[in-house]
Structures are given as C-alpha cells and as structure tokens.
Amino acid sequence: GSEKEISIRAINDKDPSINKLVHYEYVGDSDAEGTVVWNYTSLDIPKNETYTLKEMIDSTSTGIELSRKIAILPEPAALLILGLVGAMFLRRRAKSLLVVLAFLSLGAIGAKATTISVGKCFQMWPFERKVIINYTVSDLSETEYINFYYTTDNGESSYDLRDNGLLTGDVGPISANGNYRVVWTPDTETMASVKGKMKIGVDVYEPEPPTPSTYMVVDLSEGPQASSYPITYLDDVPSGGWSDDYKTSKMVFRYIPAGSFTMGSPSGEYGSEDYRNAEVQHDVTLTKSFYIGVFEVTQKQYELITGSNPTPPAKQADDRPVETVSYDMIRGATEGAKWPKSDDVDDGSFLKEIRTKTNLKFNLPTDAQWEYACRAGTDKALNSNENLMYPYGDSNDAHMNAVGRNSFNCTDGKGSPFYVKHTTVGCYSPNTWGIYDMHGNNREWCLDWWQQNLGTEAVTDPEGPQTDPGGFMSGRVWRGGYFGSYPSDCRSAFRTCATSNNTQEGFGFRLVLVLD
C-alpha cells in the first residue's frame, strides 16, 4: 500500500503487565477510515519516546526505524482527534458503527478551586481493550475524589465509570497536585450498548458519607461498675426478633435519616378537637440523622447504668419501661436544666453515666425529632397510618389498641396484670421504622421547653424556646401518652408538658444519638 507516517509510543509505567508497543496515533490524514491490522514482532521500546513507522510489506526492525505490514480493510472505523486536550480510540467490531471517545478539560465543580485537565488519553487496541486516561490535578487545596464518566446521545445520557466500568490506577482520593493515570476496562455491556459518539469527562465530586448501620447496640451487661459499654452494629433485626437481652442487658437503637415532615395534626383529625392550638401544622426539616431507641428505656437498663430502679416495687420488672423518672433525673437539675443554651448534663445523671461509658453524646429527643421518628413517614393520627375510630378519642379504639397500651386495653393479657398497667416493651405493633411503644405504655420526655403554639412557619432543626415560658402550661414537653391515657392523648401529634421534677406514674423516656 501507500506510505503513511504515524507516530508510536510505549506506555507501560502504570501497568506492569504492559511492556510492549501499546499505542499509535495518525500524524497525517486524520480522516482516514478503515481497520488497521498490525502484524508485529514484540519489541521493548523506551517509555515516552517517539519513533517513525513507515508502511512496508515486511515486518522487520532496524535500529529505531520500525517496519510493519498495515492493511486497510473495508470495515468502517475512524481515528479522530477531538476536543482540545487529547483523544481515545475505541474500536468495535459492529456493522457501520463509529465510536469515538473524547476527553474534556473540566474545571472545578461548585465553589472548588481544584482544576482537572486531561492529557493524552487512548485505547490500547488492537492489543487490548483497556483505555488509558491521563489527567493532571492543579490548584488542589484539599483531598479530592475523582469522578470519571462518559456521555452518549449528544450528552443526553451520562454514566459514572465508577459504577459502570472497571477502573484501576489513580482513581482517588487525590491529596496532592500532579500527573495521574487511570486504566479503564470497558465491560461487555458498555461495548455492546454505545452507539455513535461517546465523550469522557473527568471532574471532582463530593463523596456521599457512608450510611450508618440500621441498628446500633450498646452492651450494658457489665453494669454500673463497667469502665465502658461496648458498641456493635447490625444491618437487620436478628433472626427470631429482638430477644429479651435487647430489652434488658443491651440497648438497641434504630437509624433515622435526616428529612422533612409536616408536624402537627390536620383540622378534623379525630381526637384533636381539644388540642388544635398545640398541634398547628407546619413543615419541619431535620438536617441531621440520628439513632433513636427501638424501645423505651427499661427498668433493667436503667439499673445497669445508674445502679438503681426508681419504679415502685409493685410495678418492677426487668423488661418493662422504667417509671416515675423526672427530666431532672435524666439530665440533671443544674447544668442539665440549661437546654437549649447548653447541652451539658449533671454528674450523676443518667445521661452523664451513659455518655461517659460510651463516649457518645446521647440525649433526649427534641419535640420535633420525637414526632418525626414516631410518624415514620405517616400523616394520620397513629403511626400505623390509621386514624382513630371515634371523634373524641375517649372510647375503646381497636386502631389504638393495636399499637400501644392505653386506658382501654390494660387487661388484654399482654405482659402484666391490670393493676400494673404498663407492660413489657415491644408487645404491640411497631411503626415502619421498627420502633415500638411510641403510642402509650409510658409518657416520654423531650428536650424542649413547652411552647403552646408552634406557628405555621416552616422551621429547620427546632430546639424550642430558650427559657421556660412560665404560666399555667409550662415545663418540658412530653409525648406519646401512657397506660392511663385515652387514645386521643396517644396520637402522633399530641403534645403537652410537665415540670422537670415531675415523678408521677407513667413518666419514662427513650434516648437519641444525633449524628454530626
């Protein structure tokens, strides 16, 4: 055939398995079409040096002038330099199919100063399918994660190579300026599906933080004398369900993702007639995920942390919720009383003990966190996504009886005699997040000072008033109703308050751990 000059290079410094000729570029006519077939002998070629190859009949090598036999066949193909910064050549053996991969030089995304520029990029064909991506990082101010992607259909379809291909080499994170190289091996599905032109992009991205495990478990079995409480994690409920030790010698928490919801009850919700001013609907956004207790804190758990059980003797049982616990006992009446101005707790308080032995900042839920976790995405009166069956909520209600202990089902045989009234945690149906007893069984303290009307304005991460508003209704918020409550007082939206030193029957709590 006719003579044509081309340049060749050896690239092998980033892939030890490649030590021969791996790349060619047309120097002359870039519009030439055809399939290039190489009949070559193995040669060791110094890295990053260029030689001249002339089309010859014979395949020989003399000095640095290399001879190869090249045949131009009729199958359509192309070798084009596209864009400003380099090109990659991808050949597919398919009828009348042109596939071109071009690399784009991209600046930083968002407010980032980092610049990603692309140098020589190419495919190793005809020797291999692998694709070399050379790129340079400059103006780096922090560790960056590198994203590689390709687009097709004139940019309408985009696919991350991190998820859709095999990448090796300098895939990140990158912590220094410099030159980097990545090797991409397109999978069979990619090779078969791409039609027309394909463009490759390189930029930086913000990695998603890893999703925490669904459940966190605190081991309390060593009791109040333990120097620390071990923490373990579970991705699912154990086979056979939550055994008794998760309600006594261990404390289990469920991961709740950050999100938004409508707090309060709609007009006309059965049971809300007397509470409309305290249940005004408004949108709430919680920007931080958190863990929340799957069960109310039980008597055994309380005893293992503090060394005592304040529940009246006639009502004591390891797996029932601890009772007659005041806000001050949980957080303390001095430092612990300063929320939201301070999140400190008193020495000797329940929270101080568990914080010290886990090195985790456990707390009570805020008013909004409690309702968000209770609803679990539902918008009706109960977190089973059912409304009460009767207008005033003071009648025996099958919907309420299914989800929690209340004044009408204390004799249903679930866990305790009538005179005890509260029952073993987890006896009734959980919500869709697997959290039990947020309707009934025990009242549950929240962090916030009471505020009667929360207003209609949308809020983010509300913490309640800065100080006790005083007046007839004052103190700290409590939620969920208890074993002596009518169904109307156990609804998801129901909220009221009590003084922080209140130790009446039915007062208990569950914990949260907010994730930064």
Side-chain angles (χ1 to χ4, degrees):
S2 61
E3 287 191 348
K4 184 183 297 292
E5 285 193 350
I6 67 174
S7 65
I8 60 174
R9 287 196 307 147
I11 304 295
N12 57 23
D13 56 328
K14 292 295 182 179
D15 189 344
S17 67
I18 305 301
N19 58 9
K20 306 299 179 186
L21 177 65
V22 294
H23 171 55
Y24 65 92
E25 291 178 346
Y26 273 105
V27 175
D29 183 4
S30 63
D31 293 327
E33 293 188 356
T35 298
V36 181
V37 177
W38 293 78
N39 177 14
Y40 70 103
T41 58
S42 296
L43 294 173
D44 289 316
I45 302 176
K47 293 179 292 185
N48 300 320
E49 294 191 21
T50 302
Y51 299 84
T52 299
L53 174 66
K54 293 182 179 180
E55 288 184 339
M56 299 290 185
I57 297 300
D58 298 323
S59 176
T60 61
S61 172
T62 303
I64 62 172
E65 184 173 353
L66 310 177
S67 298
R68 290 290 180 272
K69 179 180 179 181
I70 298 177
I72 304 299
L73 303 180
E75 182 183 46
L79 213 54
L80 303 178
I81 303 296
L82 297 182
L84 301 177
V85 294
M88 181 184 79
F89 317 122
L90 175 61
R91 173 180 177 271
R92 291 186 57 232
R93 300 187 64 84
K95 293 183 179 179
S96 305
L97 181 60
L98 170 64
V99 179
V100 179
L101 286 80
F103 286 76
L104 308 178
S105 178
L106 299 177
I109 59 174
K112 291 183 176 294
T114 303
T115 300
I116 308 293
S117 58
V118 182
K120 289 288 185 180
C121 303
F122 49 86
Q123 185 188 17
M124 294 180 183
W125 181 85
F127 314 106
E128 293 192 59
R129 186 194 301 176
K130 293 180 179 179
V131 173
I132 301 295
I133 305 171
N134 291 292
Y135 67 96
T136 300
V137 178
S138 58
D139 302 316
L140 185 72
S141 59
E142 60 184 66
T143 298
E144 299 284 16
Y145 292 79
I146 307 301
N147 181 46
F148 304 89
Y149 62 91
Y150 68 83
T151 61
T152 60
D153 303 326
N154 294 320
E156 294 183 5
S157 301
S158 180
Y159 306 90
D160 280 346
L161 296 183
R162 288 181 293 121
D163 301 323
N164 292 277
L166 178 62
L167 294 179
T168 59
D170 302 323
V171 295
I174 300 299
S175 57
N177 291 324
N179 299 317
Y180 297 95
R181 178 173 298 163
V182 165
V183 178
W184 172 41
T185 304
D187 56 25
T188 302
E189 182 178 354
T190 299
M191 298 287 287
S193 62
V194 174
K195 294 179 173 58
K197 294 182 179 180
M198 172 194 287
K199 293 184 178 181
I200 298 292
V202 184
D203 61 14
V204 297
Y205 72 97
E206 292 289 345
E208 290 290 334
T211 300
S213 298
T214 306
Y215 295 98
M216 177 180 68
V217 179
V218 181
D219 187 347
L220 310 172
S221 58
E222 293 299 316
Q225 305 306 315
S227 59
S228 64
Y229 295 139
I231 309 293
T232 56
Y233 296 89
L234 302 172
D235 291 326
D236 208 343
V237 178
S239 177
W242 299 115
S243 56
D244 289 344
D245 56 332
Y246 289 102
K247 304 174 184 180
T248 54
S249 61
K250 298 177 182 178
M251 189 177 289
V252 58
F253 296 82
R254 209 299 188 173
Y255 172 72
I256 307 297
S260 300
F261 75 110
T262 299
M263 187 171 177
S265 62
S267 178
E269 179 175 285
Y270 282 178
S272 70
E273 295 84 355
D274 295 332
Y275 309 103
R276 298 302 315 135
N277 189 248
E279 298 178 12
V280 176
Q281 283 194 309
H282 58 289
D283 292 333
V284 174
T285 297
L286 300 176
T287 63
K288 295 182 179 181
S289 303
F290 57 93
Y291 280 103
I292 191 167
V294 168
F295 307 107
E296 295 166 324
V297 174
T298 63
Q299 296 173 37
K300 187 62 175 180
Q301 291 167 343
Y302 193 96
E303 183 178 357
L304 288 171
I305 292 171
T306 67
S308 63
N309 179 6
T311 308
K315 294 185 174 184
Q316 289 186 359
D318 287 351
D319 57 2
R320 294 177 193 156
V322 65
E323 201 182 337
T324 67
V325 179
S326 69
Y327 183 99
D328 292 345
M329 292 167 65
I330 301 166
R331 288 186 53 83
T334 306
E335 294 302 315
K338 295 179 180 179
W339 171 269
K341 294 181 179 180
S342 170
D343 194 31
D344 292 341
V345 295
D346 290 13
D347 289 343
S349 67
F350 178 90
L351 281 175
K352 184 69 173 183
E353 293 300 316
I354 193 171
R355 285 183 179 186
T356 300
K357 293 175 181 178
T358 60
N359 200 30
L360 296 174
K361 206 168 188 179
F362 287 104
N363 217 332
L364 293 171
T366 65
D367 194 1
Q369 286 169 342
W370 189 96
E371 187 169 330
Y372 178 63
C374 173
R375 289 188 177 278
T378 61
D379 59 5
K380 293 186 171 61
L382 305 173
N383 60 25
S384 57
N385 215 26
E386 297 280 2
N387 281 315
L388 298 182
M389 301 175 67
Y390 306 103
Y392 295 101
D394 57 359
S395 302
N396 193 352
D397 194 298
H399 290 169
M400 175 58 207
N401 291 345
V403 293
R405 177 60 61 94
N406 64 93
S407 63
F408 289 98
N409 68 347
C410 288
T411 58
D412 63 5
K414 291 189 176 182
S416 65
F418 172 73
Y419 69 88
V420 175
K421 296 186 179 179
H422 66 206
T423 190
T424 300
V425 296
C427 284
Y428 299 92
S429 297
N431 66 14
T432 57
W433 281 337
I435 306 171
Y436 293 83
D437 297 313
M438 299 200 83
H439 300 300
N441 213 17
N442 246 9
R443 301 176 174 110
E444 298 184 18
W445 288 107
C446 293
L447 278 172
D448 307 34
W449 287 113
W450 172 254
Q451 181 175 336
Q452 179 72 20
N453 191 325
L454 298 178
T456 59
E457 295 295 320
V459 293
T460 299
D461 297 327
E463 297 178 338
Q466 292 292 302
T467 59
D468 186 352
F472 174 72
M473 291 283 288
S474 65
R476 299 289 185 173
V477 173
W478 64 262
R479 292 296 217 115
Y482 75 118
F483 54 78
S485 295
Y486 288 151
S488 57
D489 293 353
C490 298
R491 294 172 297 109
S492 298
F494 176 77
R495 48 190 299 275
T496 187
C497 63
T499 57
S500 61
N501 61 356
N502 194 311
T503 56
Q504 290 180 327
E505 70 171 5
F507 272 97
F509 65 106
R510 74 179 73 221
L511 296 181
V512 300
L513 176 66
V514 177
L515 305 179
D516 294 328

